Amino acid sequence: MSLFEYRLPELHNMLHNKEVSVSELTEESLSVIARRDGDIHAFLTLNEEGARATARSLDDKLASGESRGLLFGLPAGIKDNIVTKGLRTTCASQFLTNFRPIYDATVTAMLRQADAVTIGKLNMDEFAMGGSNENSSFGVVRNPWDLERVPGGSSGGSAASVAAGEVFFALGSDTGGSIRQPASYCGVVGFKPTYGLVSRYGLVAFASSLDQIGPVTRNVEDSAYVLQAIAGYDPKDSTSAKVDIPDYLSALTGDITGLRIAVPKEYIGEGVDASVRESVLAALKVLEGLGAVWEEVSLPHTEYAVAAYYLLSSSEASSNLARFDGVRYGARVDEGGGLLELYLNSRSRGFGPEVKRRIMLGTYALSSGYYDAYYLKAQKVRTLIKQDFDEVFKKYDVVIGPTAPTTAFKLGSQTEDPLTMYLNDILTIPVSLAGIPAVSIPCGLADGLPVGLQIIGREFDETTVLRVAHAFEQNTEHHKQRPQL
Amino acid sequence: MSITVKDVQHVAKLARLQLSPEEEATFTEQMNAILQYAEKLNELDTENVKPTTHVLQVSNVMRDDVIKESLSQDEVLLNAPDHEEGHFKVPAVLE
């Protein structure tokens, strides 16, 4: 059995019992990357030497009997919009081709603290803007299940690397669905925690009121395990929440007797592929068999979520990306003009088309005369969307539906039409606007491609989401299916 | 409401982006499509709805006013495209 088939807590014990060394695990990860990543292109920067050095020092640590962190010896990939001290961080943009951060993001420091091994930085849509990973300025990531299809975005590298068995877990970031949608397309587990649960300090900001870091793993237990290591209050992040962190692993009881599930009719209606709907309905049957009850409900403002999301996220993006001017860091294009020319040239060459499009849309929505009509209106609609969820959660424990309306689409099939591309995220965006937690787990295959089941919970009720996901996983084999590589 | 190439040029100026004529044409078309889609929001009466600026109930987050070390000048300049004598270097602003 490949080392990748073990769960993270099992590997933790195997390392402790010296059945395997950190260096062996690290070499396993690097050798799979050497074999497969030429086709998949999940990695933008490999930290080979650094990973080997960390592995050796962790092996020494174990030999000397020092205490071990929760993620001791586990090789991980980090999405390339999370800064890593001294290790190139590009956001998949030409603007940051040679950017070497001078500090660690809080989650990076937490991984280090927990004794994880950073294998490298993962490909993504430029500045996390996109739903297919086709916006990376360093080239697309390919879906391990079918190399002609997208892995989803923007954490496409994170999902593909885990699906291909290149790393034991990965970190991604989710703004409108960027952890859950690629997890769904690649057949892995992607968890977006409640906004504020995981620090955003050192995450290169796209839309600050929505961005959230979370784990991408092969199973739910691993997801709980990684979440345990990265959740918690951070004084460096003014939007970080001061809440008690529960023991996520002990929440995985397998018992969901009497659980009340809401299934929004908007999530299984028009626009959702029949094969996706069937997989989700079959999953609900499994949960019913375990003692849960489900009923159809309505989240009436779902159809307005995408429009509100694009106005809000683009507005925040235009403001966040204003700091990229080619003066303090990043690529500079100086063709002999004045300072304004330097800004214009640096930004115009540094940013790709999708990033420019969103900066333009956001600048327009925030500009004088349009602010009320677009930005303020979208913020009000966000309130209505959040109220939809609040209403449903008065009576139900979780909301369940598909993660995405379809399975992974072909590379290049939607690039000319941004609006159609944006609509792929219609089932993940409302959750992001409401700031609540959700996980995508594999729930079947349609024409050989993975389908994702989305389980959504109340604010800071990660434990219920994980418990339901785990119960489902324990009673099905979907998470054990692997792409043929 | 539809936007013209002229509007796009104006917004590009505000956003500090220099667009090619092809980009101006493409963005005019795409932004019109997206904004037309956004008109959908006007179907909703939001007269008495409060805007959500933040999903969590946090406000005025401040840290204690404690003096501590900041980044060194070398660290700050490490990623600078051009610098001189401890300063970021830019083209002359004044003649």
Side-chain angles (χ1 to χ4, degrees), chain A residues 118-334:
Chain A
T118 299
I119 291 290
K121 304 301 290 290
L122 295 161
N123 206 347
M124 53 185 281
D125 282 302
E126 185 178 359
F127 285 104
M129 297 176 192
S132 66
N133 221 296
E134 291 164 294
N135 298 327
S136 165
S137 81
F138 296 106
V140 302
V141 174
R142 291 171 181 272
N143 191 316
W145 290 84
D146 176 352
L147 298 177
E148 295 309 309
R149 288 178 190 269
V150 303
S154 63
S155 309
S158 304
S161 67
V162 171
E166 296 181 335
V167 283
F168 289 79
F169 72 93
L171 294 186
S173 72
D174 189 309
T175 304
S178 285
I179 288 175
R180 291 161 285 156
Q181 184 252 31
S184 169
Y185 285 1
C186 292
V188 293
V189 176
F191 200 105
K192 184 204 89 82
T194 305
Y195 181 83
L197 185 74
V198 176
S199 170
R200 292 186 303 110
Y201 178 77
L203 170 69
V204 179
F206 157 19
S208 311
S209 80
L210 297 153
D211 298 340
Q212 190 55 217
I213 294 171
V216 180
T217 58
R218 286 190 152 193
N219 60 65
V220 175
E221 191 176 340
D222 287 2
S223 187
Y225 199 68
V226 178
L227 188 63
Q228 198 78 53
I230 60 171
Y233 173 69
D234 179 13
K236 289 177 179 164
D237 173 1
S238 65
T239 58
S240 179
K242 280 184 182 162
V243 289
D244 291 330
I245 305 301
D247 181 346
Y248 295 118
L249 280 181
S250 68
L252 310 179
T253 59
D255 181 15
I256 55 163
T257 317
L259 183 97
R260 292 157 303 174
I261 301 171
V263 179
K265 64 178 171 35
E266 293 82 4
Y267 284 30
I268 49 171
E270 209 186 321
V272 176
D273 272 8
S275 57
V276 170
R277 190 182 305 123
E278 275 167 34
S279 293
V280 169
L281 293 174
L284 288 167
K285 261 210 154 53
V286 171
L287 294 170
E288 233 173 18
L290 295 171
V293 288
W294 71 271
E295 285 175 323
E296 199 168 280
V297 299
S298 175
L299 295 172
H301 297 95
T302 301
E303 61 173 306
Y304 302 99
V306 173
Y309 170 82
Y310 276 93
L311 292 173
L312 294 173
S313 63
S314 300
S315 297
E316 293 183 24
S318 73
S319 162
N320 279 324
L321 295 181
R323 72 184 61 150
F324 291 86
D325 55 13
V327 172
R328 290 150 302 147
Y329 48 79
R332 166 184 289 199
V333 180
D334 187 358

Side-chain angles (χ1 to χ4, degrees), chain A residues 98-100 102 195-196 238-239 241 301 303-304 306-307 311 326-330 332 337-340 342 344 347-348 353 356-357 359-361 363-364 370 374 376-377 379-384 386 418-419 422-423 433-435 460, chain B residues 1 3 7-9 11-12 14-19 23 26-27 30-31 33-35 37-47 49-56 58 61 71 75-76 78-82 88-93:
Chain A
N98 298 310
F99 181 64
R100 282 181 198 283
I102 52 175
Y195 181 83
S238 65
T239 58
H301 297 95
E303 61 173 306
Y304 302 99
V306 173
L311 292 173
V327 172
R328 290 150 302 147
Y329 48 79
R332 166 184 289 199
L339 189 58
L340 180 61
L342 185 141
L344 289 170
R347 289 170 63 79
S348 304
K356 285 186 200 168
R357 179 157 47 241
I359 291 174
M360 291 289 291
L361 183 65
T363 305
Y364 182 76
Y370 300 105
Y374 291 116
L376 189 65
K377 182 81 185 179
Q379 277 186 316
K380 290 181 170 186
V381 174
R382 183 174 186 177
T383 304
L384 296 176
K386 191 165 164 42
L419 193 53
Y422 295 172
L423 289 168
L433 290 171
F460 297 112
Chain B
M1 159 167 29
I3 56 171
D7 296 325
V8 166
Q9 287 166 341
V11 173
L14 295 175
R16 297 280 188 263
L17 289 171
Q18 179 105 52
L19 302 181
E23 281 178 315
T26 313
F27 285 158
Q30 290 175 338
M31 282 173 68
I34 296 166
L35 291 169
Y37 178 74
E39 295 290 326
K40 198 176 170 58
L41 299 183
N42 293 327
E43 293 168 11
L44 296 169
D45 176 10
T46 52
E47 182 71 29
V49 179
K50 279 193 182 160
T52 296
T53 47
H54 201 288
V55 287
L56 301 179
V58 293
V61 178
L71 294 169
E75 284 175 309
V76 169
L78 202 68
N79 281 289
D82 199 2
F88 294 107
K89 198 174 169 191
V90 293
V93 180

Side-chain angles (χ1 to χ4, degrees), chain A residues 431-447:
Chain A
V431 174
S432 299
L433 290 171
I436 52 183
V439 69
S440 177
I441 60 172
C443 72
L445 294 178
D447 298 323

